[in-house]
Amino acid sequence: MKITVLGCGALGQLWLSTLYQQGHDVQGWIRIPQPFCAVNVISPEGIAFNRNMTTNDPEHLAQSELLLVTLKAWQVSGAVSTLMPMLNDNCAILLLHNGMGTVDELPANRLAILQGATTHAARHEGNSIVHVATGATHIGPVTPRGAALSSLADTLHNALPDVAWHDNIKPSLWNKLAVNCVINPLTALYNCTNGDLLAYADQIEQISQEVAQVMAIEGVEIHRDSLLSFVYQVIESTSANHSSMLQDIRNQRHTEIDYITGYLLRRGRKFGLTLPINTRLFEQIKRKENDYERVSS
Ligand code: KPL
């Protein structure tokens, strides 16, 4: 399959390396064009993949059957809108990022758009990407034309298992949003690993309860206790991780808070819910972000 991976960060390099090893014709696409990007990935078993891979070839992009988007949520609409006119009618777009709401920011289009949530964890270590934790990726359609693309899950599964297809992806996206609403802001505020959050049971429960309220109105029925046990399951399975938001705050980068807690609050507001616990977390993270963004601008 001809594929362009938009974004060559940790997750992007992971997909580039695994898709290439499955024999797919892949290239990367980066903001500042270069003919090649170095893809250096170390698997959980310690096996290294090192290769210079083609980037930003417009002909490859025009012929691509899949645009796999691994950018941060806040980069998605700008980058994807710019590339859309260069894609062919049969190219599917798969968005793989934390949070929700980016699809609503894309211009009206004719393309098949899919969204996914993944629990694979990869991080930069020196010049390499270390695939620290294997996980699962859930994908499904967010535009009507995406509904016919269930075979894509098998293709991706062969490269980086597990990948599961869902005709209705909304529950998977909301479950992952709930996890991110709990883990990301709390780890960023307490400057701790995901596992250290076990000491903050009350806050975890209050955040999850507000998320469950919005999920119920969104038609994603989940019992409060089931959501809470899912959140704890992810905290335990990623206990040694430094969440992406903690890494963003430590490196003074823009965070995904607008698409995680921010999205939750926007959806809640639409239904007249005020969500005080999540509102406070949102404001605390925005304050941290504004402190360094003001200094650097
Ligand atoms: O998605 C994550 C993130 O860090 O952004 C979790 C699941 C919380 C793992 O760290």
Side-chain angles (χ1 to χ4, degrees):
M1 192 174 188
K2 210 166 186 104
I3 301 172
T4 295
V5 176
L6 174 55
C8 298
L11 197 57
Q13 289 196 36
L14 187 56
W15 279 106
L16 278 167
S17 65
T18 53
L19 288 165
Y20 175 84
Q21 289 173 90
Q22 274 295 303
H24 295 290
D25 186 7
V26 279
Q27 73 155 343
W29 197 278
I30 45 187
R31 196 167 45 92
I32 300 169
Q34 288 168 26
F36 298 103
C37 77
V39 176
N40 302 311
V41 179
I42 300 169
S43 75
E45 297 77 33
I47 301 164
F49 173 94
N50 298 303
R51 200 178 168 86
N52 281 341
M53 297 186 73
T54 306
T55 49
N56 295 53
D57 173 3
E59 206 170 306
H60 188 126
L61 179 69
Q63 292 166 2
S64 289
E65 296 152 90
L66 173 66
L67 179 70
L68 178 54
V69 183
T70 61
L71 297 171
K72 294 276 188 179
W74 55 270
Q75 299 170 315
V76 169
S77 66
V80 175
S81 310
T82 307
L83 297 190
M84 266 180 171
M86 295 184 247
L87 303 176
N88 73 78
D89 273 3
N90 295 319
C91 180
I93 300 177
L94 171 57
L95 306 176
L96 274 187
H97 57 73
N98 278 334
M100 293 172 75
T102 53
V103 180
D104 310 328
E105 297 174 346
L106 293 176
N109 67 85
R110 62 200 187 287
L111 297 164
I113 304 186
L114 312 166
Q115 194 170 346
T118 188
T119 51
H120 281 279
R123 66 159 182 261
H124 290 267
E125 248 175 50
N127 288 331
S128 296
I129 302 300
V130 182
H131 185 190
V132 280
T134 57
T137 305
H138 298 267
I139 66 168
V142 288
T143 61
R145 269 195 75 190
L149 295 179
S150 60
S151 63
L152 190 59
D154 293 332
T155 307
L156 297 177
H157 179 82
N158 291 332
L160 186 58
D162 289 335
V163 178
W165 174 263
H166 300 261
D167 288 331
N168 177 11
I169 190 63
K170 211 171 157 185
S172 302
L173 297 181
W174 270 98
N175 279 310
K176 179 76 196 301
L177 190 85
V179 163
N180 289 131
C181 280
V182 171
I183 299 181
N184 293 35
L186 289 183
T187 50
L189 290 173
Y190 297 130
N191 192 18
C192 68
T193 64
N194 295 359
D196 292 335
L197 292 182
L198 293 175
Y200 301 95
D202 286 352
Q203 260 182 296
I204 292 174
E205 188 168 349
Q206 289 166 342
I207 298 165
S208 306
Q209 208 168 318
E210 288 187 355
V211 179
Q213 253 182 296
V214 183
M215 285 172 76
I217 304 181
E218 287 280 349
V220 182
E221 285 302 337
I222 184 157
H223 193 276
R224 235 183 36 199
D225 296 345
S226 314
L227 188 63
L228 199 56
S229 70
F230 179 61
V231 168
Y232 273 111
Q233 204 180 303
V234 179
I235 289 178
E236 275 155 30
S237 64
T238 62
S239 65
N241 270 26
H242 293 112
S243 79
S244 56
M245 194 170 287
L246 172 58
Q247 293 179 51
D248 286 340
I249 292 279
R250 281 184 177 170
N251 293 299
Q252 306 207 335
R253 292 187 300 239
H254 197 66
T255 73
E256 292 179 301
I257 195 74
D258 290 319
Y259 295 85
I260 298 176
T261 315
Y263 182 77
L264 175 84
L265 297 179
R266 288 196 292 283
R267 297 308 296 171
R269 211 172 300 127
K270 193 164 185 282
F271 302 111
L273 299 174
T274 48
L275 313 174
I277 305 295
N278 283 284
T279 301
R280 204 170 115 78
L281 284 177
F282 179 79
E283 287 166 356
Q284 285 172 303
I285 296 294
K286 282 312 251 187
R287 216 170 297 134
K288 273 187 178 288
E289 210 181 58
N290 289 340
D291 283 348
Y292 53 73
E293 287 187 348
R294 210 181 20 240
V295 171
S296 67
S297 65

